[in-house]
Amino acid sequence: MDIYTGPVGQANLTQQIHDYSPGIGPKGLFWIIPVSQESVMIDLDNARASLRLSDVPVMDAHDLANALTGGKGLANPPIPPIAPVPATVSFDIEWSGALAEAKIVNEAENFRGEYVETGVTINWSAHQAGFDFVSEAPNPSRNIYSVLGHEQNGFFFHTE
Amino acid sequence: MINQKDSAWDNLIAKRISQHLQQFHAADSATLRRTFLRGVAGLGIGSWFLGAQRAQASPRRDDGDEKIATVLPNPIPGGAMPLGILVHHFPLPSSAATPLDSINDPSEITDFNGFIGDTHIRGAGSGTGFASPLAYQTDMGFMQGEYIGQDGRHHHGTFCFI
Protein backbone atom coordinates (compact mmCIF):
# COMPACT_ATOMS: atom_id res chain seq x y z
CA MET A 1 0.00 0.00 0.00
CA ASP A 2 1.81 3.05 -1.32
CA ILE A 3 1.27 6.79 -0.99
CA TYR A 4 2.68 9.44 -3.33
CA THR A 5 2.65 13.20 -3.56
CA GLY A 6 2.42 12.92 -7.32
CA PRO A 7 -0.65 13.05 -9.54
CA VAL A 8 -3.45 10.60 -8.87
CA GLY A 9 -3.11 7.65 -11.21
CA GLN A 10 0.67 7.64 -11.21
CA ALA A 11 3.13 5.80 -8.99
CA ASN A 12 6.50 7.53 -9.28
CA LEU A 13 9.13 6.15 -6.91
CA THR A 14 10.76 9.55 -6.42
CA GLN A 15 7.41 10.95 -5.21
CA GLN A 16 6.63 8.12 -2.83
CA ILE A 17 6.31 9.04 0.85
CA HIS A 18 4.89 5.86 2.41
CA ASP A 19 5.17 2.14 1.68
CA TYR A 20 3.22 -0.16 3.99
CA SER A 21 3.89 -3.88 4.08
CA PRO A 22 4.38 -6.72 6.57
CA GLY A 23 7.90 -7.31 5.25
CA ILE A 24 9.46 -10.18 3.35
CA GLY A 25 9.05 -13.47 5.16
CA PRO A 26 11.04 -16.67 5.43
CA LYS A 27 12.25 -18.12 2.12
CA GLY A 28 11.29 -14.89 0.35
CA LEU A 29 7.55 -14.98 0.96
CA PHE A 30 6.60 -11.58 -0.31
CA TRP A 31 4.48 -9.24 1.79
CA ILE A 32 1.98 -11.87 2.89
CA ILE A 33 0.63 -12.79 6.30
CA PRO A 34 -1.66 -15.55 7.53
CA VAL A 35 -5.11 -14.29 8.43
CA SER A 36 -8.35 -15.80 9.63
CA GLN A 37 -10.58 -17.51 7.11
CA GLU A 38 -13.32 -15.11 8.08
CA SER A 39 -11.30 -12.21 6.71
CA VAL A 40 -12.09 -13.40 3.20
CA MET A 41 -15.46 -13.97 1.59
CA ILE A 42 -15.51 -15.42 -1.91
CA ASP A 43 -18.34 -16.40 -4.21
CA LEU A 44 -16.54 -17.19 -7.45
CA ASP A 45 -19.68 -18.26 -9.31
CA ASN A 46 -21.02 -14.74 -8.93
CA ALA A 47 -17.64 -13.02 -9.34
CA ARG A 48 -17.75 -11.56 -5.85
CA ALA A 49 -15.31 -11.47 -2.99
CA SER A 50 -14.19 -9.29 -0.14
CA LEU A 51 -11.08 -8.90 1.97
CA ARG A 52 -11.52 -6.98 5.21
CA LEU A 53 -8.99 -6.42 7.96
CA SER A 54 -8.57 -3.80 10.65
CA ASP A 55 -5.51 -2.45 12.43
CA VAL A 56 -3.05 -4.71 10.67
CA PRO A 57 0.44 -4.15 12.07
CA VAL A 58 2.85 -3.31 9.25
CA MET A 59 6.01 -1.33 8.67
CA ASP A 60 6.24 1.89 6.72
CA ALA A 61 9.44 1.65 4.68
CA HIS A 62 8.78 5.07 3.08
CA ASP A 63 9.31 3.82 -0.48
CA LEU A 64 9.58 0.67 -2.56
CA ALA A 65 13.37 0.76 -2.69
CA ASN A 66 13.70 0.78 1.08
CA ALA A 67 10.95 -1.82 1.38
CA LEU A 68 12.87 -4.20 -0.89
CA THR A 69 16.29 -3.56 0.63
CA GLY A 70 15.30 -3.54 4.30
CA GLY A 71 15.89 0.19 4.67
CA LYS A 72 19.21 0.31 2.86
CA GLY A 73 18.11 2.58 0.04
CA LEU A 74 19.25 2.21 -3.55
CA ALA A 75 22.20 3.43 -5.62
CA ASN A 76 20.38 3.68 -8.93
CA PRO A 77 18.01 5.45 -8.99
CA PRO A 78 19.47 7.22 -5.95
CA ILE A 79 17.15 6.55 -3.01
CA PRO A 80 18.56 7.37 0.44
CA PRO A 81 18.33 4.74 3.19
CA ILE A 82 15.39 5.26 5.51
CA ALA A 83 14.66 3.19 8.60
CA PRO A 84 11.19 1.64 8.72
CA VAL A 85 8.66 2.75 11.29
CA PRO A 86 5.67 0.83 12.70
CA ALA A 87 2.20 1.58 11.40
CA THR A 88 -1.22 -0.01 11.08
CA VAL A 89 -3.49 -0.27 8.07
CA SER A 90 -7.16 -1.13 7.70
CA PHE A 91 -8.91 -1.98 4.46
CA ASP A 92 -12.10 -3.24 2.87
CA ILE A 93 -11.66 -4.52 -0.68
CA GLU A 94 -14.73 -5.58 -2.65
CA TRP A 95 -14.46 -7.49 -5.92
CA SER A 96 -17.62 -7.60 -8.03
CA GLY A 97 -18.85 -7.73 -11.60
CA ALA A 98 -17.42 -10.11 -14.19
CA LEU A 99 -15.57 -8.35 -17.02
CA ALA A 100 -13.95 -11.40 -18.60
CA GLU A 101 -13.48 -15.08 -17.90
CA ALA A 102 -10.66 -17.43 -18.82
CA LYS A 103 -9.29 -20.89 -18.19
CA ILE A 104 -5.53 -20.79 -18.06
CA VAL A 105 -3.01 -23.60 -18.26
CA ASN A 106 0.51 -22.22 -18.00
CA GLU A 107 3.11 -24.95 -18.29
CA ALA A 108 6.01 -22.52 -17.94
CA GLU A 109 4.83 -21.23 -14.55
CA ASN A 110 3.21 -24.49 -13.45
CA PHE A 111 -0.25 -23.14 -12.76
CA ARG A 112 -3.75 -23.68 -14.04
CA GLY A 113 -7.11 -22.33 -13.06
CA GLU A 114 -10.39 -20.65 -13.83
CA TYR A 115 -10.28 -16.90 -13.51
CA VAL A 116 -12.64 -13.94 -13.66
CA GLU A 117 -11.53 -10.38 -14.29
CA THR A 118 -13.70 -8.14 -12.14
CA GLY A 119 -14.38 -4.63 -10.98
CA VAL A 120 -13.17 -3.63 -7.55
CA THR A 121 -13.36 -0.94 -4.91
CA ILE A 122 -11.24 -0.27 -1.86
CA ASN A 123 -11.68 1.78 1.26
CA TRP A 124 -8.50 1.97 3.33
CA SER A 125 -6.64 3.92 5.94
CA ALA A 126 -3.24 4.03 7.58
CA HIS A 127 -2.09 5.23 10.96
CA GLN A 128 1.34 5.89 12.43
CA ALA A 129 2.99 8.40 14.72
CA GLY A 130 2.43 11.84 13.20
CA PHE A 131 0.57 10.72 10.09
CA ASP A 132 -2.86 9.44 9.17
CA PHE A 133 -4.18 8.61 5.74
CA VAL A 134 -7.75 8.03 4.62
CA SER A 135 -8.62 7.01 1.09
CA GLU A 136 -11.37 8.63 -0.90
CA ALA A 137 -14.80 6.99 -0.95
CA PRO A 138 -14.79 3.63 -2.77
CA ASN A 139 -14.50 4.45 -6.47
CA PRO A 140 -14.88 1.73 -9.14
CA SER A 141 -13.10 3.88 -11.72
CA ARG A 142 -9.83 3.52 -9.79
CA ASN A 143 -9.54 -0.16 -10.69
CA ILE A 144 -6.54 -0.96 -12.89
CA TYR A 145 -6.86 -4.75 -13.01
CA SER A 146 -8.52 -7.19 -10.66
CA VAL A 147 -8.91 -10.94 -10.71
CA LEU A 148 -10.62 -13.73 -8.81
CA GLY A 149 -9.98 -17.38 -9.46
CA HIS A 150 -9.57 -20.94 -8.37
CA GLU A 151 -6.22 -22.45 -9.24
CA GLN A 152 -3.69 -25.19 -8.75
CA ASN A 153 0.03 -24.59 -8.95
CA GLY A 154 3.26 -26.38 -8.14
CA PHE A 155 2.58 -29.84 -6.76
CA PHE A 156 -1.15 -29.55 -7.44
CA PHE A 157 -0.58 -28.47 -11.03
CA HIS A 158 0.91 -31.86 -11.71
CA THR A 159 -1.63 -33.91 -9.80
CA GLU A 160 -4.94 -32.77 -11.30
CA MET B 1 16.75 -12.96 -4.46
CA ILE B 2 15.93 -11.36 -1.14
CA ASN B 3 16.30 -14.15 1.33
CA GLN B 4 18.89 -12.43 3.40
CA LYS B 5 17.10 -10.11 5.75
CA ASP B 6 18.24 -7.37 7.99
CA SER B 7 17.96 -8.78 11.51
CA ALA B 8 17.18 -5.37 12.95
CA TRP B 9 14.28 -5.06 10.51
CA ASP B 10 12.99 -8.50 11.48
CA ASN B 11 13.27 -7.80 15.17
CA LEU B 12 11.49 -4.49 14.84
CA ILE B 13 8.62 -6.02 12.89
CA ALA B 14 8.31 -9.02 15.20
CA LYS B 15 8.30 -6.84 18.29
CA ARG B 16 5.70 -4.49 16.89
CA ILE B 17 3.43 -7.28 15.73
CA SER B 18 3.74 -9.09 19.04
CA GLN B 19 2.83 -5.94 20.95
CA HIS B 20 -0.14 -5.31 18.69
CA LEU B 21 -1.50 -8.85 19.00
CA GLN B 22 -1.16 -8.83 22.77
CA GLN B 23 -2.90 -5.49 23.00
CA PHE B 24 -5.73 -5.93 20.53
CA HIS B 25 -6.28 -9.59 19.65
CA ALA B 26 -5.66 -11.66 22.75
CA ALA B 27 -9.36 -12.24 23.29
CA ASP B 28 -10.28 -12.92 19.67
CA SER B 29 -11.97 -16.33 19.73
CA ALA B 30 -14.25 -16.44 16.72
CA THR B 31 -14.83 -19.98 15.49
CA LEU B 32 -13.49 -21.29 12.23
CA ARG B 33 -15.93 -22.33 9.54
CA ARG B 34 -15.03 -24.34 6.50
CA THR B 35 -17.62 -23.11 4.05
CA PHE B 36 -17.34 -21.90 0.53
CA LEU B 37 -19.06 -18.63 1.27
CA ARG B 38 -17.05 -17.21 4.11
CA GLY B 39 -18.26 -14.96 6.86
CA VAL B 40 -16.47 -11.72 7.51
CA ALA B 41 -14.79 -10.51 10.64
CA GLY B 42 -12.85 -7.33 11.06
CA LEU B 43 -10.21 -8.66 13.45
CA GLY B 44 -8.53 -11.50 11.71
CA ILE B 45 -4.90 -10.68 11.45
CA GLY B 46 -2.25 -13.19 12.33
CA SER B 47 1.44 -12.78 12.86
CA TRP B 48 3.74 -14.02 10.18
CA PHE B 49 6.68 -14.15 12.50
CA LEU B 50 4.80 -15.50 15.49
CA GLY B 51 3.30 -18.11 13.19
CA ALA B 52 6.74 -19.15 12.05
CA GLN B 53 7.85 -19.47 15.64
CA ARG B 54 4.86 -21.59 16.53
CA ALA B 55 5.43 -23.81 13.51
CA GLN B 56 9.00 -24.43 14.54
CA ALA B 57 7.98 -25.15 18.11
CA SER B 58 5.26 -27.68 17.40
CA PRO B 59 5.09 -28.98 13.82
CA ARG B 60 1.90 -30.89 13.14
CA ARG B 61 -0.71 -31.46 10.50
CA ASP B 62 -3.17 -28.64 10.05
CA ASP B 63 -6.55 -30.34 9.86
CA GLY B 64 -8.39 -27.10 9.17
CA ASP B 65 -9.51 -26.49 12.73
CA GLU B 66 -7.06 -23.67 13.28
CA LYS B 67 -8.24 -20.11 13.06
CA ILE B 68 -5.00 -18.90 11.49
CA ALA B 69 -2.40 -20.94 9.65
CA THR B 70 0.69 -21.65 11.70
CA VAL B 71 2.82 -23.41 9.11
CA LEU B 72 4.18 -21.23 6.35
CA PRO B 73 3.79 -21.99 2.66
CA ASN B 74 6.59 -21.69 0.12
CA PRO B 75 6.76 -18.82 -2.36
CA ILE B 76 6.23 -19.32 -6.06
CA PRO B 77 9.60 -20.00 -7.69
CA GLY B 78 9.52 -17.03 -10.08
CA GLY B 79 8.45 -13.45 -9.90
CA ALA B 80 9.04 -9.90 -11.04
CA MET B 81 12.22 -7.81 -10.80
CA PRO B 82 11.27 -4.33 -9.51
CA LEU B 83 14.38 -2.15 -9.28
CA GLY B 84 16.40 -5.18 -10.38
CA ILE B 85 15.46 -7.19 -7.27
CA LEU B 86 13.64 -10.51 -7.59
CA VAL B 87 10.41 -10.73 -5.63
CA HIS B 88 8.22 -13.82 -5.56
CA HIS B 89 5.19 -12.02 -6.90
CA PHE B 90 3.84 -11.17 -10.33
CA PRO B 91 2.04 -7.80 -10.39
CA LEU B 92 -1.19 -7.72 -12.34
CA PRO B 93 -1.13 -5.94 -15.72
CA SER B 94 -0.99 -2.17 -15.62
CA SER B 95 -3.53 -1.94 -18.45
CA ALA B 96 -7.08 -3.27 -18.56
CA ALA B 97 -6.47 -4.02 -22.24
CA THR B 98 -4.29 -6.98 -21.31
CA PRO B 99 -6.17 -10.23 -22.00
CA LEU B 100 -7.02 -12.19 -18.89
CA ASP B 101 -5.52 -15.38 -20.28
CA SER B 102 -2.08 -13.76 -20.50
CA ILE B 103 -1.65 -12.97 -16.80
CA ASN B 104 1.11 -14.57 -14.77
CA ASP B 105 0.35 -16.72 -11.75
CA PRO B 106 -1.61 -14.43 -9.40
CA SER B 107 -0.82 -16.65 -6.41
CA GLU B 108 2.26 -15.82 -4.36
CA ILE B 109 2.47 -19.26 -2.79
CA THR B 110 3.31 -22.48 -4.56
CA ASP B 111 2.02 -26.03 -4.12
CA PHE B 112 -1.35 -24.40 -3.71
CA ASN B 113 -4.91 -25.47 -4.54
CA GLY B 114 -7.51 -22.85 -3.75
CA PHE B 115 -9.05 -19.46 -4.30
CA ILE B 116 -7.17 -16.30 -5.15
CA GLY B 117 -8.10 -12.64 -5.31
CA ASP B 118 -5.76 -10.02 -6.66
CA THR B 119 -6.13 -6.35 -7.41
CA HIS B 120 -4.24 -3.31 -8.62
CA ILE B 121 -5.80 0.06 -7.80
CA ARG B 122 -4.65 3.66 -8.05
CA GLY B 123 -6.65 6.38 -6.34
CA ALA B 124 -6.62 9.40 -4.08
CA GLY B 125 -6.90 10.21 -0.41
CA SER B 126 -6.07 12.70 2.28
CA GLY B 127 -3.12 12.68 4.65
CA THR B 128 -2.00 14.58 7.70
CA GLY B 129 -0.13 17.75 6.75
CA PHE B 130 -1.11 17.76 3.08
CA ALA B 131 -3.65 20.26 1.84
CA SER B 132 -3.92 18.63 -1.58
CA PRO B 133 -5.04 15.07 -2.24
CA LEU B 134 -2.37 12.39 -2.12
CA ALA B 135 -2.14 9.56 -4.64
CA TYR B 136 -2.11 5.92 -3.63
CA GLN B 137 -1.42 2.60 -5.26
CA THR B 138 -2.49 -0.74 -3.82
CA ASP B 139 -1.34 -4.10 -5.13
CA MET B 140 -3.10 -6.56 -2.83
CA GLY B 141 -4.86 -9.87 -2.67
CA PHE B 142 -5.53 -13.15 -0.90
CA MET B 143 -4.98 -16.88 -1.23
CA GLN B 144 -7.27 -19.33 0.53
CA GLY B 145 -7.14 -23.10 0.36
CA GLU B 146 -4.89 -26.13 0.54
CA TYR B 147 -1.13 -25.85 0.39
CA ILE B 148 1.99 -27.81 1.16
CA GLY B 149 3.83 -26.01 3.90
CA GLN B 150 7.49 -25.49 4.55
CA ASP B 151 7.31 -28.63 6.69
CA GLY B 152 6.38 -30.66 3.61
CA ARG B 153 2.88 -31.47 4.84
CA HIS B 154 -0.61 -30.53 3.63
CA HIS B 155 -2.37 -27.62 5.31
CA HIS B 156 -5.31 -25.29 4.85
CA GLY B 157 -4.99 -21.57 5.34
CA THR B 158 -5.79 -18.05 4.30
CA PHE B 159 -3.08 -15.55 3.40
CA CYS B 160 -3.33 -11.85 2.70
CA PHE B 161 -0.96 -10.00 0.41
CA ILE B 162 -0.43 -6.36 1.45
Side-chain angles (χ1 to χ4, degrees), chain B residues 81-158:
Chain B
M81 295 279 291
L83 304 175
I85 301 170
L86 172 64
V87 297
H88 296 289
H89 161 65
F90 288 110
L92 286 172
S94 57
S95 167
T98 303
L100 178 61
D101 60 9
S102 66
I103 64 172
N104 298 104
D105 190 349
S107 172
E108 290 203 356
I109 65 176
T110 192
D111 302 329
F112 171 68
N113 176 24
F115 295 100
I116 63 92
D118 207 355
T119 186
H120 184 191
I121 306 169
R122 289 180 178 175
S126 57
T128 306
F130 292 87
S132 300
L134 295 170
Y136 75 77
Q137 173 176 255
T138 61
D139 186 5
M140 303 174 65
F142 66 82
M143 291 136 279
Q144 183 175 73
E146 179 183 15
Y147 66 98
I148 298 176
Q150 293 184 4
D151 61 355
R153 306 179 75 172
H154 288 251
H155 301 273
H156 288 83
T158 302

Side-chain angles (χ1 to χ4, degrees), chain A:
Chain A
M1 309 182 85
D2 312 329
I3 299 176
Y4 307 82
T5 58
V8 175
Q10 296 189 19
N12 188 329
L13 176 63
T14 61
Q15 294 177 304
Q16 189 172 359
I17 56 173
H18 295 279
D19 190 300
Y20 302 105
S21 83
I24 299 171
K27 295 192 175 183
L29 283 163
F30 188 66
W31 293 354
I32 66 174
I33 52 173
V35 297
S36 73
Q37 292 190 340
E38 291 83 3
S39 303
V40 169
M41 182 193 76
I42 179 163
D43 180 357
L44 189 58
D45 289 341
N46 291 301
R48 296 185 61 217
S50 66
L51 173 60
R52 298 173 183 166
L53 287 167
S54 299
D55 300 323
V56 181
V58 293
M59 299 303 292
D60 175 15
H62 182 269
D63 54 70
L64 178 63
N66 279 291
L68 296 181
T69 62
K72 295 183 175 67
L74 202 65
N76 186 25
I79 304 292
I82 297 177
V85 296
T88 59
V89 293
S90 301
F91 46 87
D92 179 353
I93 305 174
E94 306 277 345
W95 287 260
S96 66
L99 304 174
E101 298 181 4
K103 290 185 178 180
I104 301 175
V105 178
N106 188 320
E107 300 274 355
E109 293 180 14
N110 284 333
F111 78 97
R112 78 173 82 236
E114 298 180 357
Y115 301 90
V116 184
E117 182 183 353
T118 71
V120 80
T121 61
I122 186 171
N123 188 16
W124 74 280
S125 62
H127 172 72
Q128 65 197 84
F131 182 76
D132 288 283
F133 175 83
V134 179
S135 69
E136 64 190 338
N139 184 346
S141 72
R142 301 302 195 186
N143 178 33
I144 304 294
Y145 210 103
S146 298
V147 172
L148 296 174
H150 187 270
E151 74 165 65
Q152 299 82 39
N153 69 14
F155 170 81
F156 295 103
F157 174 76
H158 297 286
T159 57
E160 297 195 12

